[in-house]
Amino acid sequence: MNIVPFTFNSNKKIIFRAGSVENLADEAGFYGKNIILFTGGSSLEKSGKLAEITKSLEENGFSITKFSVNSEPSPELVDSIVKQLKDLKIDSITAIGGGSVIDTGKAVSAMLCEEGSVCNLLEGIGDRTPTGRKIPFIAVPTTAGTGSEATSNAVLSRVGDAGFKKSLRHFNYTPDVAIIDSKLYSSCPPAVAASSGMDALSQLVEAYISSNASFYSDIRVIGAIEVLLEALPIVAATKDEQEYCGEACANAWNKMAYAAFISGTALANCGLSVVHGIAGSVGGFFNSPHGAICGTLLAEGMKQTIIKLENENPESASLLKFAKLGYIAARSEDLLPKEARYRFIQVLEGLTESLDIPRLSAFGITESDLPRIAAASSNKNNPISLSLEEITSILRERL
Ligand SMILES: [Fe+2]
C-alpha cells in the first residue's frame, strides 16, 4: 500500500472525556474573562446542565454575554449579532449546543474581525475571501451529528425559492478548543439523536469514499463507523429504554460523541460527496432538518454510486472500500466483496427504517420539485460522477 500525500487541519486542543465541560473555565480563562456564550434550545436548559455551567463560569469571575440560537443560522442572524457585539471587549466565544449553535458562534467569532455583511464572504455568493482572523473560539457540542466542533466552516442558510445553504470557511475557523463531554449529549431527544447520528454516519461514509480521502483519514473514519453502528440504535431508543440502559447507554453516547467528532475532522479534510451535495440543495429550498435529509438519502445515494462504479469502473478502489464497510456492518468477513457491498446498503436501509427517518415528502417535497433540487445538487468528491437523471432517481426513490 502506498501512503498518498495529505494535509490535515485540526483543532489546537481536543478534550474528550465524560464530564470535561468542567474544564471550560480553565480553557476560556486562558484567553480572558470577557466571554460570549452561545447556547441552543431547551433540552440542555431543562436538564439543568446549562445553569450549572453558567454558574461555574460566574463563580470563576467571568463576565458573560449570552445568546440563544433556536434554528439554523442565517446571514441576517449573524450580521445582527455582530452588530450588537462590535464595540464590546471580547476575549473569547464559547458555543455549547448542536451544529446550528456552534456554526453561529463560529461565524460570529470570524465576522467580529471582518467588515461588512457575512454574505460578502460566503462561498459561491460573496466577492471576498475571509482573512481567517477571528476571536478565540471554543466549541462544546451537545448533539452527536454535524461534527462542527472539528470543522473549518460555518453553514449559513436562507430558505425559500432563492434559498441557499453556503459556508463561511477558512482553515483557521476550526474551533481552537473542542470540549467533547458525552454526559452533555444524553439530554438529546431520541428523534434528534437518530437524525444527527445519520448525519454523522453520512459524513463518515462520504469522507471515506471521497476522492480526497487519505490513509490518515481512513484509519480514523473506519474506527468511527464501527463504533457509530454499534451505538446509534442504543442512543436513539426511547428515553425510558435509555433509563434502563445505564452504563451501556453512557458508553454508547461516548461512542457517538467520538464518531461525530471524527466525522467533522473527516468532512473538513476530505470533503463530502453526493448525499451532502443533494442535502445542501434540499436545505436551501425547504425548511427541513439537515440530519434527516442526509439520513433519508444515504442508502440510496450509496447504492446508486456502487451500481455505477460496478458498471463503469469495476476495478475502482472505491468498490473495495464499500466492501470493507460491508464487512464492518455485517461484523463478518465471510462474504464475497459484492455481497459485502450490498450488505452495507441493507444495513443502512435497516437503520433508516428502524430509526423512523422521514421520507422527503414529509417536508413538503413533491415530484415537481425534483428537477430544481437535482439541478442545484453537486456530487463533487463522489468516487464516480452521477448524472442529473441519477440524482433525480435517488430523490424519487426517497419521496
Ligand atoms: Fe452534515
Side-chain angles (χ1 to χ4, degrees):
M1 179 193 294
N2 291 325
I3 308 295
V4 296
F6 66 90
T7 304
F8 204 88
N9 178 52
S10 185
N11 310 79
K12 287 188 190 129
K13 187 169 184 181
I14 301 153
I15 304 174
F16 184 93
R17 178 174 55 81
S20 59
V21 76
E22 67 193 22
N23 293 44
L24 177 57
D26 282 346
E27 295 305 321
F30 173 76
Y31 299 105
K33 297 285 187 180
N34 299 300
I35 65 169
I36 308 298
L37 183 63
F38 286 93
T39 61
S42 56
S43 51
L44 196 69
E45 198 162 3
K46 273 187 201 145
S47 70
K49 286 176 186 159
L50 185 59
E52 273 175 42
I53 294 166
T54 313
K55 188 167 167 245
S56 149
L57 287 169
E58 283 166 350
E59 284 172 356
N60 279 283
F62 282 86
S63 158
I64 310 169
T65 305
K66 282 189 224 161
F67 286 91
S68 178
V69 178
N70 297 307
S71 60
E72 291 187 10
S74 63
E76 290 72 24
L77 177 74
V78 171
D79 287 348
S80 108
I81 296 174
V82 169
K83 204 170 164 193
Q84 294 172 57
L85 296 178
K86 203 79 182 180
D87 298 323
L88 274 188
K89 175 175 167 17
I90 302 164
D91 296 317
S92 72
I93 294 181
T94 291
I96 305 177
S100 298
V101 179
I102 295 177
D103 279 359
T104 307
K106 200 184 280 180
V108 169
S109 89
M111 290 311 297
L112 281 166
C113 301
E114 301 279 2
E115 294 300 324
S117 167
V118 67
C119 285
N120 300 331
L121 299 171
L122 289 180
E123 279 177 352
I125 291 185
D127 54 3
R128 286 195 279 132
T129 312
T131 61
R133 286 195 291 271
K134 71 163 199 266
I135 303 283
F137 180 53
I138 300 173
V140 187
T142 60
T143 57
T146 65
S148 181
E149 65 273 19
T151 66
S152 55
N153 66 312
V155 181
L156 306 185
S157 26
R158 188 178 283 159
V159 181
D161 286 344
F164 60 76
K165 227 175 170 53
K166 297 287 177 190
S167 280
L168 176 68
R169 191 188 309 269
H170 191 283
F171 76 89
N172 198 39
Y173 295 161
T174 307
D176 298 286
V177 184
I179 297 177
I180 303 162
D181 175 353
S182 58
K183 282 188 179 171
L184 298 179
Y185 293 61
S186 52
S187 54
C188 174
V192 177
S195 58
S196 310
M198 288 302 278
D199 183 21
L201 180 57
S202 296
Q203 290 168 180
L204 288 165
V205 172
E206 289 178 78
Y208 182 57
I209 57 157
S210 161
S211 42
N212 287 327
S214 67
F215 185 70
Y216 188 79
S217 60
D218 283 355
I219 209 87
R220 287 164 171 69
V221 165
I222 278 290
I225 291 175
E226 191 166 1
V227 297
L228 185 148
L229 289 174
E230 286 168 22
L232 180 52
I234 300 172
V235 301
T238 65
K239 283 289 166 203
D240 283 351
E241 286 166 328
Q242 287 189 31
E243 297 254 311
Y244 290 111
C245 184
E247 196 177 335
C249 207
N251 287 337
W253 275 114
N254 218 35
K255 289 175 181 173
M256 288 305 299
Y258 175 78
F261 170 69
I262 297 295
S263 83
T265 68
L267 88 85
N269 288 284
C270 309
L272 297 174
S273 55
V274 69
V275 176
H276 273 71
I278 304 176
S281 68
V282 172
F285 291 127
F286 294 88
N287 207 344
S288 52
H290 171 74
I293 300 297
C294 293
T296 210
L297 296 169
L298 178 59
E300 193 59 29
M302 294 303 97
K303 190 163 133 190
Q304 297 281 348
T305 300
I306 291 172
I307 291 170
K308 191 159 185 183
L309 281 168
E310 286 173 343
N311 289 337
E312 297 185 12
N313 190 6
E315 302 304 316
S316 164
S318 299
L319 286 174
L320 295 177
K321 283 190 157 185
F322 277 116
K324 179 146 192 177
L325 292 173
Y327 297 132
I328 288 168
R331 294 182 197 159
S332 162
E333 296 212 350
D334 195 16
L335 294 165
L336 293 170
K338 183 162 185 162
E339 290 174 332
R341 293 196 282 272
Y342 288 95
R343 179 66 67 84
F344 178 59
I345 300 301
Q346 274 174 3
V347 168
L348 294 182
E349 287 169 346
L351 259 181
T352 314
E353 195 70 28
S354 64
L355 298 179
D356 279 332
I357 303 294
R359 287 177 165 269
L360 296 170
S361 50
F363 307 106
I365 300 171
T366 63
E367 175 70 33
S368 65
D369 297 310
L370 304 191
R372 66 177 171 138
I373 296 173
S377 299
S378 110
N379 63 106
K380 202 172 87 176
N381 305 324
N382 212 40
I384 194 158
S385 180
L386 299 181
S387 67
L388 214 54
E389 291 70 33
E390 286 158 339
I391 291 176
T392 307
S393 103
I394 293 170
L395 287 160
R396 185 171 294 121
E397 198 59 42
R398 296 303 302 163
L399 262 186

